[in-house]
Structures are given as C-alpha cells and as structure tokens.
Amino acid sequence: MKKIAIDMDGVLANIYSQFHKMHLEEYGETIADEEIDGVEERQAFPGASKYVRNQGFFRTAPVIDDCQRVVEKLTGYYDIFIVSAALEFPNSLNEKLLWLEEHFPFITWKQTVFCGSKDIIRADMMIDDHFRNLDTFMGETYLFTQPHNKLADCGVHKRVSNWLEIEKLLIL
Amino acid sequence: MKKIAIDMDGVLANIYSQFHKMHLEEYGETIADEEIDGVEERQAFPGASKYVRNQGFFRTAPVIDDCQRVVEKLTGYYDIFIVSAALEFPNSLNEKLLWLEEHFPFITWKQTVFCGSKDIIRADMMIDDHFRNLDTFMGETYLFTQPHNKLADCGVHKRVSNWLEIEKLLIL
C-alpha cells in the first residue's frame, strides 16, 4: 500500500481555533479571518509563541472538520502515518499522544512520528499546511489550506481546502 | 550532505547494561554474555518487558563506548538524525530527550525523530541493531552488533561491532 504522511497541527488539529481563543482571552478582541490571510501565524497572533507553550494548547485543540472519518477511511486504502514536527515543543509530546488516542483511536503507536525536521520522512504522499515540509519531500504533496498559506501560489503542490476534497482525490 | 539515521537503544544507549543490572537486582544472579548470544532480548532477560517500563530505564542508560566523540565528528561530514522507535513506550519520550540533551548536547531537536515503525524514514544510511529496521530501509545499512544479532548472517547489511569501526568506515 502507498504511504501517506499526514501532519497534525493545521491539518488534523484546529490550531487557529486555539490561537483565536487565547488571543481573545489575552487582548479582549477578535481578529477577523480576512485580516490574517497570508500572514504567518506568529505575526497574525502576537502571543502565538507563548500560546503554543501553554499547558493544554495541543491537548484541547478541536478536530478539523471531517478528518476523523476520512482518515479512518483512508486506512483501508493506504498506510497512514501521522507525522508531527513536535520536537520543537517537547512538552507537547504527551499532549499530542493523548489527543491522538482520544480522537484517532484507530491510529497505533507504529503509525505515529514525532520529529523536528520532516526532511527525513519517506512516504508516497504528504499532506501538510507548511511549504517548508512539502518543499523537500519526494512524493506527491498536498498543501492543506490554512490562513497563513491561503494567498500563496502553491507551485508544484496540489492545494486541498478541506478533508472532503482529500476524500474525493484519494478515495472516491 | 548525506543523511545518516542513527538508532538510540543498542547503538548509542547501552541497554544491555540496564538489562543486566535489573536482572541482577531481581534474580540475584548474573547472566554470562555467551549464554545470550543470538537470543532475543525478551528471551534473554525474562523481566525485559517490565524493565523497559521502569522509571529511569532509558534516562540512566550508560553511553556506548566512543559514540559521543564519533557522532560529534560525523556531524561535520553528514546530516545526522537520531531515530528512535520510542513510541512503543510513551513514558520513555521525556527520558530519551533528557538523555540526548545530557550526552549529545550538539544534537538539536531538528535532528531528533521518535517514531513507531522506521518504514517511514528516508536517509542515505541507517545504523541500527535490529534487522526489522534495516530490512525495509532504502539506503546503506549498518548492523550494529549486539548480543541478540551476534550470531546472525547480516545478509545485505554491513556489520559494525563498535563506533571505532564506524569512524573508520564513514570518515577516515
């Protein structure tokens, strides 16, 4: 079976929802979506670097629409690996494991990868919201739309806006 | 630069020393090296599955001879990644990070990978003591001698018995 490397933050876990919530708590104001289209996360939310270190940031992130059902379905057709560049925030490792266990109980420890750089990943496809991960990958690359990459020309990568599109592309 | 994926347990960390120590503590007897040549770890030490879950098992493992100096030297010639199948024992993640920080301070979070299966690793070379990791790897493979693999025909892999041999093969 072909292997798919699927990113966590911004692909499975709704990190923007956490940023918005914590920004509102800190500054008492909301940021409109269109204000931060094309803006890097750490510029869009001045507290972002702090928020990702908050206890619970990763553990309580909501799940992105439809991904549980579609990822489970994909496991019937592909070897699925969840690949997260989690080593930047060592405290996130346990939160991420618990989050996966709760929301993706069908994903085993054998299918989980916590790395720093994704340059070392070998698979047939990669789904990720960051160019830095896709650009060095040898295989088919899918750029998952998030505000920070929304205005960019996706170049050699195929843009996917949600999990229903991925379902259509990879299964239907 | 070419990438090398280096295993932790049995290649950098002296896991057998921990097994011997804990076996002695539990059974009050020592096991002679030649008794366990060619025997899988979990058969050689009846308590092995329990020992690896003991707090401190990974954190207090001694470092295998010469590997700190040689790995540091290798970083001048290769992109080094430390790749550990650590997800089987989630409690080991923090211990392994602290161990690396103490003994390999020159290895950054970007060079660290904690995975389940190593099927997803792409590099030019892999140094590992387990056939299951080397057999599916696409690249040069080095079997690091440990008692459990000592009697096996290493097949397509190149056998290396210590870090001085690796230094000679990859640098000198």
Side-chain angles (χ1 to χ4, degrees):
Chain A
M1 282 207 282
K2 284 189 171 182
K3 291 187 181 70
I4 311 182
I6 302 175
D7 183 27
M8 275 182 85
D9 301 336
V11 173
L12 301 179
N14 194 336
I15 290 312
Y16 271 81
S17 159
Q18 297 291 75
F19 283 142
H20 277 296
K21 195 180 124 203
M22 292 180 186
H23 183 85
L24 177 63
E25 281 165 9
E26 185 170 2
Y27 295 97
E29 59 169 33
T30 53
I31 296 177
D33 285 351
E34 54 277 15
E35 273 181 67
I36 55 169
D37 282 351
V39 181
E40 277 304 320
E41 290 143 309
R42 291 177 198 204
Q43 276 156 350
F45 301 93
S49 301
K50 190 173 60 190
Y51 303 156
V52 295
R53 289 176 171 81
N54 282 354
Q55 207 186 341
F57 181 87
F58 295 101
R59 181 66 189 91
T60 64
V63 182
I64 284 177
D65 288 349
D66 303 306
C67 71
Q68 288 157 300
R69 185 185 58 77
V70 177
V71 172
E72 185 161 18
K73 200 166 166 188
L74 283 170
T75 61
Y77 300 82
Y78 300 93
D79 274 338
I80 298 298
F81 289 87
I82 308 299
V83 180
S84 178
L87 269 295
E88 190 174 358
F89 310 110
N91 294 335
S92 74
L93 297 177
N94 286 332
E95 292 199 13
K96 289 190 173 211
L97 277 177
L98 292 170
W99 189 89
L100 280 174
E101 219 170 85
E102 179 186 348
H103 301 295
F104 294 82
F106 50 87
I107 294 291
T108 70
W109 61 267
K110 288 196 179 174
Q111 295 165 276
T112 308
V113 184
F114 291 152
C115 56
S117 158
K118 293 191 185 178
D119 286 7
I120 192 147
I121 298 304
R122 172 169 66 92
D124 299 287
M125 294 170 235
M126 178 178 273
I127 305 172
D128 208 291
D129 65 320
H130 281 288
F131 282 96
R132 64 171 177 270
N133 296 325
L134 298 173
D135 285 347
T136 58
F137 182 73
M138 292 167 77
E140 288 173 42
T141 43
Y142 295 88
L143 180 74
F144 196 89
T145 297
Q146 282 293 345
H148 67 83
N149 68 36
K150 210 168 186 174
L151 307 181
D153 172 1
C154 62
V156 295
H157 315 305
K158 195 184 284 278
R159 185 181 283 280
V160 284
S161 300
N162 55 57
W163 277 92
L164 298 180
E165 273 186 31
I166 294 175
E167 182 179 24
K168 218 179 255 178
L169 274 167
L170 300 183
I171 305 177
L172 302 179
Chain B
M1 282 208 283
K2 284 189 170 182
K3 291 186 182 67
I4 311 182
I6 303 175
D7 183 28
M8 274 180 85
D9 301 337
V11 173
L12 301 180
N14 194 336
I15 291 311
Y16 271 81
S17 159
Q18 297 291 76
F19 284 142
H20 277 295
K21 194 179 126 205
M22 293 180 184
H23 183 86
L24 178 62
E25 281 165 10
E26 185 171 0
Y27 295 96
E29 60 170 32
T30 53
I31 296 178
D33 285 350
E34 54 276 17
E35 273 182 68
I36 54 168
D37 282 350
V39 181
E40 278 303 320
E41 291 144 307
R42 291 175 198 206
Q43 277 157 349
F45 302 93
S49 302
K50 190 173 59 187
Y51 303 156
V52 294
R53 288 175 172 80
N54 281 355
Q55 208 188 339
F57 180 87
F58 295 101
R59 181 65 189 91
T60 63
V63 181
I64 284 178
D65 288 348
D66 303 307
C67 70
Q68 287 158 300
R69 186 185 59 76
V70 177
V71 173
E72 184 161 17
K73 200 167 165 187
L74 283 170
T75 60
Y77 301 82
Y78 300 93
D79 274 338
I80 298 298
F81 289 87
I82 308 300
V83 180
S84 177
L87 270 295
E88 189 173 359
F89 310 110
N91 294 335
S92 74
L93 297 177
N94 286 331
E95 292 199 13
K96 288 190 173 210
L97 276 177
L98 291 170
W99 189 89
L100 279 175
E101 219 171 85
E102 180 187 348
H103 301 294
F104 294 82
F106 50 88
I107 294 290
T108 70
W109 60 269
K110 288 197 179 176
Q111 295 165 276
T112 309
V113 184
F114 291 153
C115 55
S117 157
K118 294 192 184 177
D119 286 8
I120 191 144
I121 298 304
R122 171 169 66 93
D124 299 286
M125 295 170 232
M126 179 179 271
I127 305 171
D128 208 291
D129 65 319
H130 281 289
F131 283 96
R132 64 172 177 270
N133 297 325
L134 298 173
D135 285 347
T136 59
F137 182 73
M138 294 168 75
E140 289 173 42
T141 43
Y142 296 87
L143 181 74
F144 196 90
T145 297
Q146 283 292 344
H148 67 83
N149 68 36
K150 208 168 184 174
L151 306 181
D153 173 0
C154 61
V156 296
H157 314 305
K158 193 183 286 275
R159 185 181 282 280
V160 284
S161 300
N162 55 55
W163 277 93
L164 298 180
E165 272 186 33
I166 295 176
E167 181 179 24
K168 217 179 254 179
L169 275 166
L170 299 184
I171 304 178
L172 302 179

